[in-house]
Structures are given as structure tokens and as C-alpha cells.
């Protein structure tokens, strides 16, 4: 009792349990003790104040009574519920604040809603051929916008069925779709479905990047709601169909239908519509020109979804699934892409920066391009292993330099390196016409005599291909038979620098080393510039610049941005000298190294070339209609198995030129058939030449074959080694 009295002055009753603790923290009015009334208010209070014998409770023991433990349990339960509710409300409030803050933060990183407009597509470059047909497309291929009412009804329904079946009932975001996708993803333990609506996909495609972040997702939702508020469902669906990506660089259903089926989206069949709708999920993986099986399986899923949505009947779906009708175009791996790449390189110089869709009208003839491609590919397929030749190139142009066909390699899909424009290789004897033209311009004629015999130039001993020598020969014989010693003698006689000047004047732009070996084509050139340099022989001597772009215009409005001007290069070769050169180079096809080359009914001329160790094989030949060059070799510059210019290149050239000249009116080479030219050749010679035959003879000596034991050639300037550089 003494303990109770000791504490009675400022008595504090011992309390137990969670309820007691909360009561100390928060006391209601009924729990307050006033100074004026120290008496307990009820029995409960009395029991708290004293034990069973009305004495103070003992320390360390709870107050005894019949309902003490029950009251304690109820108080604890009420306290637990209260605390759970309290902290739940606090956390909910903060979560709401966080969501609102995130939305505001995401919106702050968007442009102002009032400034948002449907952005323009990136510019598209459409490349057309001589007949107006589309050869290739560069940039993002976007078809013209197509109205929803112009499409077959099942096309937009296919997208709705597989991508957003509740499209017409939601407001940009579909909570049910999100919940359904979440359940499916949990069931499959991965991402098997997406909850994005068509409007969300459109918002992403128009305004956002493809990164997967929470910020981007929040922005997508906000923009979807804005699009739904600003545009009608029909407008949104139309925008979607004209902007969604379908793979292979195609944006919009019109571009996709043209890319994959070669037809307008207005004309696609039900199975084709299902295939297009199925591409949206994974356009790169399901592109029908790369994965036809995957695309068809996905199309079947779309058809089933359309039937489930009652967009088509079950029998229609079964017929389309059981008898699909697809006419899928092959992927863009054709050799015409080498032409498209070349155009891309020169486009900036012609029109500057492109900020609108344009059409590039080219000089390419699609029929000749197809023939050229087949000629290269088929020849390599048949003989590449036998001759260890892995690559080839072909360039065909008109005598005024307009490129009609270009093949930069055997397979664009495997290698985009353009061997017709970019690659530079030793032309071998295909360079000799510039040497002989320099000699002709110096006063010699096709009948001028020079000695074919061993030659020593400061230790360098060039040899003929056959290691045989013919003594006194005419220039015509020397060129047609590709005699190296005569070419070197002529080059030294007229001067290597003058030979280089002649080549530059005719169109060679690569650096030429003006030394004794230039006569054998040791300086590297490209196929395109070499063919262009032969063009003056076919057109009467006018200089040309090889070109492929005729005109550049805009798609809308047909505004002309560029039109090719008329060449102002003037006369590069005198007509008389052109006639002499054509007479000599015609003989190459009659009795020389290109005897296999022939075009029935046409007069043709040209020159073969084989570089050192058979690394390169060339033939450049021409008629009054086309100038065509062929190169065959290996990218790593490794030797072939004795592939010569008179072999594979001539075969490719003949196959191409025969087909290319079918139905074309025959025309003669400039001066080649002019009667009276030959008798005047000798008179035109300003230098004394040996008399070779009696009057009335053909004027051409019968070559005397002199067999000379071949000797190993030594270096010239430290880098010409071992042997001749080719014929």
C-alpha cells in the first residue's frame, strides 16, 4: 500500500497493449481526467484504479477482472486496422502525387500541344529508267497517301482485328487491352502481347523514338489522348495506314504493297491484306521477301482474328488460309542498285541538300540492264571456278556518254562495292589505243612500220604474250595482235607524257605514271572512265563525260531541279584520226585478240587487255550505237588461272551486244568504211617509213615470225618485275 500511496500524488495508472500506447498519443475528451473530479466515472475506471480488494495493483501485474484479456485483444485489433488504414492512405496519397508528377514531367519534355503537327516524312528518292519505270528507291520508301475509302474494306479491318479490336470504343488508351495483355504475358512468363492501341502506335511513329523507357511510354499515352481529341477515328486510322513501317524501307500500305506485291494497295487481295497487317508486329523479321514462311503463318493468324471479330466469314477465312495467293517480289538485291548508289554519290553535287521527295530520271535502259546482269552472272556461274575469277563488271553507254547499263559486281546483296565506278585496276593492253592515237597524231598511219623485236629499256625487257616476235609489222598489225614491244617503242618515241596527255584529253581522270611502262597499261583506272575514254572513237571524236542522270524533279508539282546540259567538251580527236583508229581497232575483232567478238551486220572495234600475272581481264568494244566495257578478276587482286581479255570478257561482251543490237538500225563507225581513206594513209605519214610491199599489194607486210628465247624481265623504277604486263 505504501507503494500506491507514494505515487498517489501524481498518479499515473499503468496501461498495457497497443490500444494503451495509442491512447497516450491521442486522448479523446472522454479519456481526459479533470482536477475537479478525482472520482472514477464508471466501473471500468474503478477497476483500472484498484484491484479486487480495492487496493492498488501490484507492480508488474495486469489488473485482474473478468473481461480484461478480451478488452485488450479488441483494442489491439482496432489499433491495427486503424494503423493499416492510416498508412495505406498516406502511401496512396504519395503514389498519386508521384503519378501526377511523372505525367507532368513527361509532358514537360514534349513540344507544346498547340505546336504539334503531323510531321513530314523524310524525303524519298525515286530512281526511274529510260522508260519511266521505277528502278530503285533510296531513303525511306513512302508511297503516296491513300484515302481510307479507296482501300478494299478488308484491308483496314485486318489491322483492327490483329492490332486493336476495340479501336472504335476506346479514347486512345485501352485499359481492357492493357489488362488482357498483362494477363497473357504473366501466363506465358514473358512478353507475348502488347497493350498499345493503334492510336498509341501512331503517336509513337509520328513523334517519338523507338526506345523502350517509362518516359517514352508516358509520352505515348499523352500523345494518344491528344490525337483522339484532335482527330476523328477515320482520320487516325488513315494516318496510321499511311505511316506505319512495313519493313524493307517501306512506310505506309501503298509503299508496302508496291514493294512486296508490285501493285497498289487499292488492289491487294484478302490474303495479301492479312499479310500486310501481320507485318506490323515485326516488319524486319516477317518481311515476305525475306521470310515467306513466317509472313504466311502470321497472315493466317490475322485471317483467324478477322473471322473471330466477324469482319469476314469463317468460310472466307478458310479459303484464304487454304489457298493463299501471293506474288511476292524478290528483295532489292539486283545489280541496278549499283547504279542507285552511284547516283546517291553525285546527287549532292547536282541539287544540294534534299528536303522533299524527288524523282531522278536516268539514262538506264531496264532491258539492257537485265541483259547485262544476266551476261555477267551466267558467265561467272559457268566458268568462275575453272578460271579462278570471282567478280565481274560491265558498263555500256551511248557514244555521247549516257550510261545504259551498269553492273558493279555479280551480287549486290553480298557486296555493295561498285567495281565499275570505284575499283581501279591495271587495264593492261586496253590502254594501248591511247599510245597508238598519240602516234597517229604525231604523223604516223595505220600502215606505218615498226619492229617487233626484243627490247631493253634500262634493264627492263618487255616481252610479247606468246614470247614470239614478228619483225617488221604495221601499226594495225601491232595493235590487233597486241604486240608489247611495238607499243613500248611507240610510247618512247612519242614520249610517255604525251601518251598521258592524250588519255586525259579523252576522259581518263585517274593518276597516270608517265614512264616507259605506261604503254602497257600499268597505271590503274576504273572501268567507267576507260569506257568513256573510248566513246570518242565511236562518235567521231567528240569528248564526252559519262553520265546517268538526265533530270531531277519533285514528285509534287513536277518542278525541275536539274536538267543535264549539253556537253561542251568539243572535239577531242580529229575526224581523220578517228577513222584511222577505227580501222586499226576493227582489225582486232577480225584477225586479232578479239576474234570471238562479233555482232552480225554491225561493224565493231575494240581492244582486249590482260594485266600482269593474269590479275585482270578486259575488253572494251564499241559500235556506232553502244560502247561497252567488261572487266573480270578478283577483289583481292589475286591472279586468275590465265583468264585473258580475249576469253571471258569477249564472251560476256558478245552475249550482251548481240542482244542489245537486235532491232536497232545498223550504222557504220565514223570513217571506218569511207572508201579512199586507206590509200591516203601512207601519204598522210609525215615520217619516213620503210617500203614493205610492191605497188598494188595490200600494203601490209606478211609478218615474219622470229622465235626468240624469252628472257626474264628486270625491274623498271624498282617495281616492274619478271614479265610483260599483258596484251
Amino acid at each position: 500500500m505504501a507503494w500506491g500511496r507514494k505515487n498517489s500524488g501524481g498518479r499515473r495508472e499503468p496501461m498495457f497493449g497497443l490500444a494503451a500506447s495509442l491512447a497516450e498519443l491521442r486522448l479523446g475528451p472522454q479519456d481526459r481526467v479533470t482536477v475537479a473530479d478525482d472520482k472514477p466515472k464508471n466501473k471500468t475506471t474503478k477497476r483500472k484504479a484498484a484491484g479486487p480488494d480495492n487496493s492498488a495493483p501490484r507492480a508488474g501485474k495486469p489488473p485482474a477482472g473478468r473481461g480484461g484479456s478480451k478488452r485488450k485483444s479488441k483494442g489491439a485489433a482496432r489499433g491495427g486496422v486503424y494503423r493499416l488504414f492510416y498508412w495505406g492512405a498516406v502511401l496512396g496519397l504519395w503514389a498519386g502525387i508521384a503519378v501526377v508528377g511523372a505525367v507532368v514531367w513527361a509532358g514537360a519534355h514534349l513540344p507544346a500541344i498547340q505546336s504539334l503537327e503531323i510531321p513530314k516524312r523524310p524525303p524519298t528518292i525515286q530512281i526511274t529508267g529510260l522508260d519511266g519505270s521505277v528502278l530503285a528507291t533510296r531513303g525511306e520508301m513512302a508511297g503516296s497517301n491513300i484515302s481510307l475509302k479507296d482501300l478494299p474494306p478488308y484491308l483496314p479491318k485486318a489491322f483492327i482485328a490483329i492490332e486493336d479490336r476495340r479501336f472504335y470504343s476506346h479514347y486512345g488508351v485501352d485499359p481492357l487491352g492493357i489488362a488482357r495483355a498483362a494477363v497473357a504475358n504473366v501466363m506465358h512468363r514473358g512478353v507475348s502481347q502488347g497493350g498499345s492501341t493503334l492510336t498509341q502506335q501512331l503517336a509513337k511513329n509520328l513523334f517519338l523514338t523507338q526506345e523502350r523507357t517509362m518516359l517514352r511510354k508516358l509520352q505515348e499515352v499523352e500523345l494518344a489522348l491528344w490525337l483522339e481529341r484532335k482527330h476523328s477515328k477515320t482520320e487516325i486510322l488513315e494516318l496510321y495506314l499511311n505511316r506505319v513501317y512495313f519493313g524493307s524501307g517501306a512506310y505506309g500500305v501503298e509503299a508496302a504493297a508496291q514493294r512486296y506485291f508490285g501493285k497498289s494497295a487499292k488492289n491487294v487481295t484478302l490474303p495479301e491484306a492479312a499479310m500486310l497487317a501481320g507485318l506490323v508486329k515485326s516488319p524486319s523479321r516477317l518481311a515476305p521477301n525475306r521470310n515467306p514462311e513466317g509472313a504466311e503463318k502470321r497472315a493466317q493468324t490475322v485471317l483467324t482474328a478477322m473471322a473471330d471479330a466477324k469482319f469476314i466469314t469463317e468460310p472466307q477465312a478458310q479459303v484464304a488460309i487454304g489457298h493463299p495467293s501471293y506474288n511476292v517480289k524478290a528483295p532489292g538485291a539486283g545489280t541496278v542498285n549499283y547504279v542507285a548508289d552511284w547516283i546517291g554519290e553525285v546527287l549532292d553535287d547536282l541539287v544540294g541538300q534534299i528536303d522533299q521527295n524527288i524523282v531522278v530520271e536516268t539514262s538506264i535502259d531496264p532491258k539492257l540492264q537485265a541483259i547485262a546482269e544476266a551476261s555477267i552472272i551466267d558467265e561467272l556461274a559457268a566458268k568462275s571456278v575453272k578460271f579462278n575469277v570471282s567478280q565481274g563488271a560491265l558498263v555500256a553507254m551511248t557514244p555521247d556518254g549516257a550510261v545504259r547499263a551498269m553492273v558493279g559486281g555479280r551480287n549486290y546483296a553480298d557486296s555493295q562495292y561498285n567495281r565499275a565506278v570505284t575499283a581501279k585496276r591495271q587495264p593492261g593492253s586496253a590502254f594501248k589505243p591511247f599510245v597508238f592515237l598519240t602516234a597517229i597524231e604525231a604523223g604516223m598511219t595505220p600502215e606505218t612500220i615498226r619492229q617487233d623485236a626484243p627490247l631493253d629499256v634500262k634493264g627492263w625487257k618487255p616481252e610479247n604474250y606468246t614470247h614470239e616476235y614478228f619483225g617488221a609489222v604495221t601499226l594495225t598489225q601491232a595493235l590487233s595482235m597486241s604486240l608489247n614491244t611495238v607499243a613500248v617503242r611507240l610510247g618512247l618515241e612519242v614520249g610517255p607524257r604525251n601518251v598521258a596527255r592524250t588519255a586525259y584529253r579523252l576522259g581518263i581522270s585517274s593518276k597516270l605514271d608517265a614512264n616507259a611502262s605506261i604503254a602497257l597499261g600499268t597505271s590503274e583506272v576504273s572501268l567507267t572512265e576507260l569506257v568513256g575514254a573510248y566513246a570518242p572513237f565511236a562518235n567521231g571524236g567528240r569528248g564526252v563525260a559519262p553520265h546517268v542522270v538526265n533530270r531531277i524533279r519533285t514528285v509534287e508539282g513536277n518542278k525541275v531541279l536539274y536538267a543535264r546540259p549539253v556537253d561542251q567538251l568539243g572535239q577531242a580527236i580529229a575526224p581523220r584520226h578517228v577513222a584511222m583508229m577505227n580501222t586499226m581497232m576493227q582489225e582486232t575483232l577480225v584477225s586479232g585478240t578479239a576474234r570471238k567478238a562479233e555482232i552480225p551486220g554491225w561493224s565493231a572495234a575494240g581492244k582486249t587487255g590482260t594485266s600482269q600475272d593474269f590479275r585482270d581481264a578486259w575488253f572494251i568494244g564499241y559500235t556506232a550505237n553502244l560502247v561497252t566495257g567488261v572487266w573480270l578478276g578478283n577483289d583481292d587482286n589475286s591472279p586468275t588461272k590465265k583468264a585473258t581479255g580475249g576469253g571471258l570478257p569477249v564472251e560476256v561482251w558478245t552475249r550482251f551486244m548481240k542482244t542489245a543490237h537486235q532491232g536497232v538500225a545498223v550504222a557504220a563507225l565514223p570513217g571506218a568504211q569511207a572508201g579512199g581513206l586507206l590509200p591516203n594513209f601512207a601519204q598522210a605519214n609525215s615520217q619516213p617509213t620503210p617500203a614493205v610491199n610492191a605497188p598494188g599489194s595490200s600494203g601490209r607486210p606478211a609478218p615474219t615470225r622470229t622465235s626468240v628465247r624469252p628472257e626474264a624481265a628486270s625491274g623498271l623504277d624498282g617495281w616492274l618485275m619478271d614479265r610483260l604486263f599483258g596484251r
Side-chain angles (χ1 to χ4, degrees), residues 23 28 85 99 114 117 224 228 253 256 263 273 284 288 300 306 367 390 415 475 511 535 570 617 624 656 682 690 713:
F85 173 78
V99 170
Q114 61 269 21
E117 295 180 0
E228 289 276 348
V253 288
K263 64 172 71 171
S284 298
Q300 293 174 359
M306 293 179 72
K367 294 180 181 178
S390 61
S415 171
L475 297 192
K511 183 180 181 298
F656 171 78

Side-chain angles (χ1 to χ4, degrees), residues 388-476:
N388 188 33
V389 175
S390 61
Q391 281 295 345
L394 183 151
V395 173
M397 65 179 67
T398 61
D400 64 356
V403 176
R404 291 286 187 254
M406 173 182 285
V407 178
R410 69 188 299 180
N411 192 322
Y412 181 83
D414 291 342
S415 171
Q416 291 80 52
Y417 183 63
N418 193 333
R419 296 153 190 86
V421 174
T422 308
K424 294 190 176 183
R425 307 293 290 256
Q426 288 185 351
S429 292
F431 192 85
K432 287 178 181 176
F434 308 125
V435 180
F436 282 72
L437 174 59
T438 307
I440 291 293
E441 292 178 334
M444 303 182 199
T445 73
E447 305 305 320
T448 298
I449 301 297
R450 287 297 179 267
Q451 289 295 317
D452 176 32
L455 182 66
D456 189 325
V457 183
K458 297 181 180 180
W460 173 49
K461 299 176 181 179
E463 299 173 323
N464 290 333
Y465 171 73
T466 60
H467 306 299
E468 296 176 319
Y469 301 90
F470 297 90
V473 295
T474 65
L475 297 192
T476 298

Side-chain angles (χ1 to χ4, degrees), residues 681-725:
F681 283 164
Q683 297 175 13
N685 184 14
S686 61
Q687 296 183 3
T689 57
V692 291
N693 281 340
S697 68
S698 65
R700 298 180 183 176
T704 303
R705 182 168 295 179
T706 305
S707 181
V708 179
R709 181 179 179 182
E711 299 179 23
S714 59
L716 174 65
D717 297 335
W719 64 281
L720 287 172
M721 301 297 293
D722 289 334
R723 54 177 301 170
L724 78 166
F725 288 89

